[in-house]
Amino acid sequence: DTLAETKERYKQGSGGVTELTKTLAQITEELETVKAQMDERGTNMTDAGPLVRIKQALTRLKQEVTQMDVRIGVVEHSLLLARIRDRSAIREDMHAPVTDATFGDFKAF
């Protein structure tokens, strides 16, 4: 009986060992996957290429904004000059003497 009991306990124990071995293999595989992901992230974090490209893009954008500010200033100045000319022309027309030639073919009643 003791031999049979010992064999039975051995089978149960070896079955548990097999289960634990399978679990260990799965955990080891997951660990390797996580390690690979961490290595990849570490490599990406130390890669300064994307950061350099972002900084270059920001520099270009700042230059473009400055150029647009200058263009806007030129357009505002031109518009102001045009308004001043229009106002001056209107004032000159208002102060001009009224003659029959001013109204052309239009006759007063």
Side-chain angles (χ1 to χ4, degrees):
D1 277 333
T2 55
L3 182 60
E5 288 175 5
T6 305
K7 285 184 179 182
E8 185 63 31
R9 282 193 312 222
Y10 175 76
K11 286 181 185 178
Q12 289 175 355
S14 65
V17 169
T18 304
E19 290 258 340
L20 290 174
T21 304
K22 287 180 185 178
T23 305
L24 177 62
Q26 290 174 346
I27 291 173
T28 304
E29 185 178 328
E30 289 176 20
L31 177 63
E32 292 300 322
T33 303
V34 170
K35 281 183 180 179
Q37 289 174 350
M38 293 301 290
D39 287 342
E40 184 179 333
R41 286 182 185 169
T43 301
N44 289 341
M45 290 178 74
T46 58
D47 182 16
L51 182 60
V52 169
R53 288 191 296 275
I54 289 171
K55 286 182 179 181
Q56 290 172 344
L58 283 174
T59 302
R60 281 194 308 270
L61 283 173
K62 286 178 184 177
Q63 290 172 347
E64 289 177 14
V65 166
T66 302
Q67 290 174 353
M68 290 302 293
D69 285 342
V70 169
R71 289 179 182 174
I72 288 170
V74 169
V75 169
E76 286 176 344
H77 180 72
S78 299
L79 182 60
L80 179 63
L81 287 178
R83 286 182 182 167
I84 291 172
R85 284 188 203 128
D86 286 347
R87 286 183 185 162
S88 295
I90 290 171
R91 285 186 188 146
E92 287 177 10
D93 287 346
M94 288 175 58
H95 296 302
V98 177
T99 62
D100 288 338
T102 304
F103 293 105
D105 293 336
F106 297 108
K107 301 289 180 188
F109 293 107

